[in-house]
Amino acid sequence: MRNIKLFDSGEHKFILLNESEPGEESGIRSNQYLIVHEDSGVLLDPGGFGVMPSVLTELLRYIKTEQICAIILSHQDPDIVGGLSTWLELTDAPVYVSNIWMRFLPHYGIASMAQFVGVPDAGKQCTIAPGFQLQLVPAHFLHSEGQINVYDPLAKILFTGDIGAAMLPVDREYEFVDDFAAHLPFIEGFHRRYMVCNKAARLWVEAVSKLDIEILAPQHGPIYRGQSVPDFLNWFKELKCGVDLMTHSGHFAMGNWNE
Amino acid sequence: MNHQTKTQFIAVASITSELTAVISISKEISLAAANAKAIAFRAGDKARGFQPITDFINDLAKEMIQNIEIINELATSLCRITIKEYRKTEAFNKFELITTTCGSAVHAHSMQKPLADAKAIVQNCQLQFKRDVALLMDHLDTVTQHAKTAGIIATYSRIEASQAGEYLQSLQTVSKSVDNAARKIHDHVQRCIIALSRFGSANK
């Protein structure tokens, strides 16, 4: 999946720039998004070390390198941050990341933290350029302790990081979730195991339900649109997961997923 | 990591390791000098010629330690330069790859400046590395000279010790330990010089 314009009003675009192939980093497929407003671009979760060239190659279709105005990291995992040191050789743009992950990022081979902006627990409003605002929405413990979502009010898209992430089999590929029930088998195990607890899920659903959302764009797998958006939120709000399912150390009521 | 970068890392790391040993041996020399001074004081007139030698050995050991501290700082700087060069080279390689693959992209030309900047920084790192290696070699030469001087002083001190009567054996032991230490330092420093010689010759 490459170059899918999730929103395009001419002056404002929200693009699924690239979905890395599993072979690119011998890992899982991950989505990298670009939001463009006139001459300003914001890159969401630029990806691991191996995918940097393909993400940048796609990005150059839309903006110049000097038009990258911000990079936003949803959380601290290597499939999101691993390629960042090379991006920082390319751009002086600020990099937004949760305050609680700032001290760990230098271990990704990042020479200086001067470009980093810590996002407080409650999230923040970011003015990228005149008329271009993004809302950094907290999504703590889902699955990262300091996860951040990005809400684009012009596109009405919520970038959800690992919330809603799917792990499709290698031979299955579809771009959008139009049938939530059919999609559920590909997200259920991941969410039960990688999300911390129902309380975190419920509080997040309550918070994002106040936003006007047409699309949920996760970091892995297909994109939720139409009826699948409320279907996912309703399912997630009731989900028992993580510590809710722990019976004793190392054991979960759901069984040991992914073994 | 390419072969050149690996070799640089190994060379710089081996210097730090060798120097740790040299500092420890220099401290031993300093201790031996203090010990010799106490013995010479007790020996009085019998070891009168030995007393100024002990001060000289002590000063030499201190100077050696100071030099090694400077060398250590330079070695740390070399390590940082190597890491920076490695990062910039990685970035340059990626940018170069992208310029060849993004030919049809509207904004492909915007890669030219980052590509040129990365290349300039890599070249600058390589120059700076060579300059610092040359500087470090000078300091290593100085330590080699100090080690040689310590060896000569050890010989003199053996002669002086021979006139120290009942203190002869104690003072000879001190002379021998200074001589051994000087040889060990010389060997360690030579290994540093060999490890670095392939990187600094252009500027020497």
Side-chain angles (χ1 to χ4, degrees):
Chain A
M1 299 197 300
R2 273 178 196 194
N3 292 309
I4 299 173
K5 284 183 190 164
L6 301 177
F7 180 85
D8 186 358
S9 69
E11 69 167 14
H12 191 86
K13 298 179 184 70
F14 196 116
I15 305 148
L16 170 59
L17 207 56
N18 175 72
E19 186 201 37
S20 67
E21 298 298 328
E24 279 179 299
E25 294 200 313
S26 302
I28 51 170
R29 290 188 284 201
S30 59
N31 300 330
Q32 290 88 41
Y33 298 94
L34 176 70
I35 308 173
V36 180
H37 186 83
E38 295 176 339
D39 293 333
S40 304
V42 175
L43 188 58
L44 308 182
D45 283 0
F49 187 76
V51 302
M52 194 271 177
S54 49
V55 177
L56 180 54
T57 300
E58 297 302 325
L59 178 141
L60 290 169
R61 295 178 192 277
Y62 301 97
I63 55 169
K64 298 174 189 166
T65 54
E66 60 264 33
Q67 289 171 332
I68 301 171
C69 291
I71 293 174
I72 301 173
L73 308 176
S74 66
H75 59 292
Q76 79 291 353
D77 282 352
D79 56 330
I80 287 151
V81 188
L84 197 63
S85 59
T86 314
W87 285 99
L88 297 183
E89 301 292 343
L90 187 74
T91 175
D92 295 327
V95 180
Y96 293 89
V97 65
S98 165
N99 263 335
I100 70 165
W101 293 122
M102 293 272 278
R103 72 190 66 176
F104 296 97
L105 293 184
H107 299 287
Y108 280 103
I110 291 160
S112 160
M113 292 298 285
Q115 283 171 250
F116 286 81
V117 180
V119 177
D121 277 352
K124 70 185 280 184
Q125 193 82 9
C126 277
T127 301
I128 308 294
F132 182 16
Q133 285 203 323
L134 294 173
Q135 196 175 328
L136 306 188
V137 180
H140 296 290
F141 299 104
L142 300 170
H143 71 114
S144 160
E145 293 92 315
Q147 185 165 240
I148 295 166
N149 290 171
V150 181
Y151 179 64
D152 177 353
L154 293 175
K156 297 182 181 174
I157 295 174
L158 180 67
F159 167 63
T160 54
D162 271 8
I163 303 169
M167 295 199 174
L168 297 182
V170 187
D171 57 346
R172 288 288 290 271
E173 190 172 327
Y174 50 95
E175 295 158 358
F176 294 98
V177 182
D178 292 315
D179 180 350
F180 181 70
H183 185 61
L184 193 55
F186 306 121
I187 66 170
E188 189 166 11
F190 173 80
H191 284 75
R192 285 194 191 278
R193 183 64 181 82
Y194 277 73
M195 304 291 152
V196 167
C197 63
N198 175 260
K199 181 180 178 182
R202 181 169 41 80
L203 292 176
W204 176 81
V205 172
E206 283 170 12
V208 301
S209 294
K210 292 171 187 157
L211 302 169
D212 184 6
I213 300 170
E214 289 187 358
I215 285 176
L216 294 176
Q219 211 246 328
H220 303 282
I223 291 144
Y224 298 77
R225 65 180 178 186
Q227 184 56 38
S228 71
V229 173
D231 285 352
F232 172 78
L233 294 177
N234 290 334
W235 171 78
F236 193 48
K237 190 176 181 180
E238 302 302 325
L239 185 73
K240 299 284 182 222
C241 53
V243 294
D244 303 328
L245 302 175
M246 276 185 87
T247 51
H248 53 287
S249 181
H251 296 269
F252 296 85
M254 62 182 281
N256 291 333
W257 182 72
N258 216 21
E259 277 185 3
Chain B
M1 194 179 284
N2 62 29
H3 180 68
Q4 168 78 6
T5 314
K6 269 186 198 164
T7 317
Q8 275 185 217
F9 267 124
I10 292 165
V12 173
S14 67
I15 291 164
T16 313
S17 153
E18 300 284 355
L19 292 180
T20 307
V22 173
I23 286 189
S24 155
I25 298 165
S26 301
K27 284 179 182 165
E28 277 172 29
I29 292 182
S30 194
L31 199 66
N35 191 25
K37 195 171 184 173
I39 296 168
F41 182 74
R42 281 205 300 277
D45 283 348
K46 290 176 186 169
R48 192 165 297 283
F50 206 95
Q51 284 176 11
I53 293 175
T54 58
D55 287 337
F56 194 76
I57 295 173
N58 193 36
D59 289 347
L60 195 70
K62 278 183 187 165
E63 222 174 297
M64 228 185 282
I65 291 169
Q66 279 171 357
N67 247 298
I68 290 158
E69 279 166 0
I70 295 170
I71 294 171
N72 253 333
E73 278 172 26
L74 280 167
T76 308
S77 161
L78 285 179
C79 192
R80 284 201 198 102
I81 295 166
T82 307
I83 290 168
K84 189 176 174 185
E85 186 190 334
Y86 169 67
R87 283 183 180 145
K88 293 286 173 184
T89 305
E90 285 290 314
F92 174 78
N93 290 340
K94 284 206 166 121
F95 296 167
E96 201 173 38
L97 171 73
I98 290 154
T99 53
T100 57
T101 56
C102 70
S104 61
V106 182
H107 302 292
H109 63 279
S110 73
M111 282 308 297
Q112 291 308 317
K113 189 178 179 301
L115 187 69
D117 288 349
K119 189 177 184 179
I121 293 169
V122 170
Q123 286 171 339
N124 190 39
C125 285
Q126 287 165 346
L127 276 176
Q128 201 182 339
F129 187 86
K130 280 188 175 170
R131 274 200 300 266
D132 281 4
V133 166
L135 202 58
L136 198 146
M137 288 290 232
D138 287 343
H139 283 284
L140 287 172
D141 282 344
T142 307
V143 177
T144 304
Q145 288 307 319
H146 284 160
K148 280 181 184 165
T149 309
I152 294 165
I153 291 169
T155 309
Y156 281 133
S157 62
R158 260 200 296 273
I159 297 165
E160 289 295 333
S162 65
Q163 294 162 23
E166 70 267 34
Y167 295 98
L168 178 135
Q169 203 170 357
S170 303
L171 290 175
Q172 273 190 340
T173 306
V174 171
S175 304
K176 198 177 172 188
S177 71
V178 171
D179 194 32
N180 281 341
R183 283 173 207 275
K184 281 185 196 166
I185 289 174
H186 184 271
D187 291 347
H188 282 293
V189 172
Q190 284 310 302
R191 282 200 284 272
C192 291
I193 291 172
I194 292 166
L196 279 180
S197 55
R198 75 186 74 178
F199 303 110
S201 53
N203 278 35
K204 282 290 280 178

